[in-house]
């Protein structure tokens, strides 16, 4: 199975900050990689697909990069509504594993 | 509007069975792969199973293989997850999600997701 390791597990940042979350795959997965946002009590929501493509309707302050084993989610200017848990995922092969999540708190 | 709505969750004793449903609207279920993903209380996301668009291929996480069965009824545009021999560690919110993709690229992702249904395995 492909292991997905996210860092950090949690972070606290201020409105307007630039925030970066990283994810590393245990083997190369090309760009079979996605990011999701989950607010408490809600279903996950797709943010970025195929490593760097922004899902329709997602604010442009979110961006994704990377290929192979190392990936990054960047929020260019943090907003209060970005408080959530973020998950990375590989869809290279089953089981389609997720990272353990990064809980983002607004100071 | 593309939407998925899960139902069928509840409280069941260890060793018992439960069948979850995932009703699709706004698209034809049999044209897409559909996944089940679960989330134990306070924990992260765990992929459970997928059925391919043609219904011929089904894949399961090792943790549920041999106990859970994914299926669909195209006439009802509904997906199912039959869960047998349930264990305490199966307690979770279960989400269904549509497999979306670029034509020809091979890249795919889960979108949208249903709101989830809670399964509690407890005596």
């Amino acid at each position: 199975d492909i292991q997905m390791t996210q860092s950090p597990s949690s972070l606290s940042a201020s409105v307007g900050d630039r925030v970066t979350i990283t994810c590393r795959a245990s083997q190369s997965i090309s760009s079979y990689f996605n990011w999701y946002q989950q607010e408490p009590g809600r279903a996950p929501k797709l943010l970025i697909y195929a490593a760097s493509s922004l899902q329709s309707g997602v604010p442009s302050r979110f961006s994704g990069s990377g290929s192979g084993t190392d990936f990054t989610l960047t929020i260019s200017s943090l907003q209060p509504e970005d408080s959530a848990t973020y998950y990375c995922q590989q869809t290279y092969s089953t089981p389609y594993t997720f990272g353990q999540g990064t809980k983002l708190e607004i100071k | 509007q593309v939407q998925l709505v899960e139902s069928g969750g509840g409280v069941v004793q260890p060793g018992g069975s439960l069948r979850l449903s995932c009703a699709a609207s706004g698209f034809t279920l049999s044209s897409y792969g559909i996944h089940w993903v679960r989330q134990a209380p306070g924990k992260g996301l765990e992929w459970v199973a997928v059925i391919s668009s043609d219904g011929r291929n089904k894949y399961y996480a090792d943790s549920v293989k041999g106990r859970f069965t994914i299926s669909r009824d195209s006439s009802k545009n509904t997906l199912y997850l039959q869960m047998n021999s349930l264990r305490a560690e199966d307690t979770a919110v279960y989400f269904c999600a549509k497999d979306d993709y670029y034509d020809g690229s091979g890249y795919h992702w889960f979108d949208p997701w249903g709101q989830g249904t809670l399964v509690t395995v407890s005596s």
Side-chain angles (χ1 to χ4, degrees):
Chain A
D1 297 0
I2 299 173
Q3 308 304 316
M4 306 299 291
T5 304
Q6 272 181 252
S7 61
S9 296
S10 63
L11 76 147
S12 181
S14 300
V15 172
D17 282 354
R18 182 181 183 87
V19 169
T20 298
I21 299 170
T22 63
C23 187
R24 174 165 287 178
S26 60
Q27 68 180 72
S28 179
I29 57 171
S30 183
S31 294
Y32 292 83
F33 181 86
N34 311 304
W35 287 103
Y36 300 88
Q37 176 194 61
Q38 186 180 33
E39 298 172 3
R42 304 287 299 271
K45 170 189 168 185
L46 178 70
L47 294 177
I48 302 287
Y49 60 92
S52 59
S53 295
L54 189 68
Q55 172 66 345
S56 176
V58 174
S60 59
R61 63 180 179 273
F62 290 92
S63 65
S65 64
S67 182
T69 60
D70 294 305
F71 301 87
T72 299
L73 173 69
T74 300
I75 308 173
S76 60
S77 178
L78 194 64
Q79 298 302 304
E81 60 266 31
D82 300 335
S83 177
T85 300
Y86 293 82
Y87 292 95
C88 63
Q89 179 205 33
Q90 64 83 17
T91 49
Y92 182 82
S93 64
T94 58
Y96 296 132
T97 42
F98 294 86
Q100 79 278 16
T102 295
K103 187 172 185 178
L104 175 57
E105 173 192 275
I106 310 298
K107 285 181 186 174
Chain B
Q1 180 187 0
V2 175
Q3 191 175 10
L4 295 165
V5 178
E6 302 92 337
S7 61
V11 180
V12 60
Q13 292 188 338
S17 298
L18 207 57
R19 189 179 80 159
L20 305 183
S21 300
C22 169
S25 58
F27 73 102
T28 301
L29 201 70
S30 56
S31 296
Y32 293 87
I34 307 290
H35 303 267
W36 286 101
V37 177
R38 68 185 181 184
Q39 186 170 37
K43 302 297 184 183
L45 300 170
E46 180 188 15
W47 176 82
V48 172
V50 62
I51 184 168
S52 62
S53 57
D54 62 10
R56 294 178 184 174
N57 297 307
K58 304 173 184 180
Y59 300 98
Y60 300 90
D62 285 347
S63 57
V64 307
K65 201 172 294 181
R67 301 187 298 122
F68 290 12
T69 302
I70 190 171
S71 64
R72 71 181 183 206
D73 184 334
S74 297
S75 67
K76 296 182 179 179
N77 216 33
T78 299
L79 177 80
Y80 302 102
L81 186 68
Q82 177 66 43
M83 305 186 296
N84 298 331
S85 303
L86 282 162
R87 306 166 180 167
E89 54 265 35
D90 296 318
T91 294
V93 174
Y94 285 73
F95 299 97
C96 58
K98 173 176 163 278
D99 191 274
D100 210 352
Y101 56 90
Y102 281 138
D103 259 341
S105 74
Y107 300 133
H108 60 112
W109 51 90
F110 297 8
D111 182 66
W113 298 55
Q115 86 288 351
T117 187
L118 176 62
V119 172
T120 303
V121 184
S122 174
S123 54

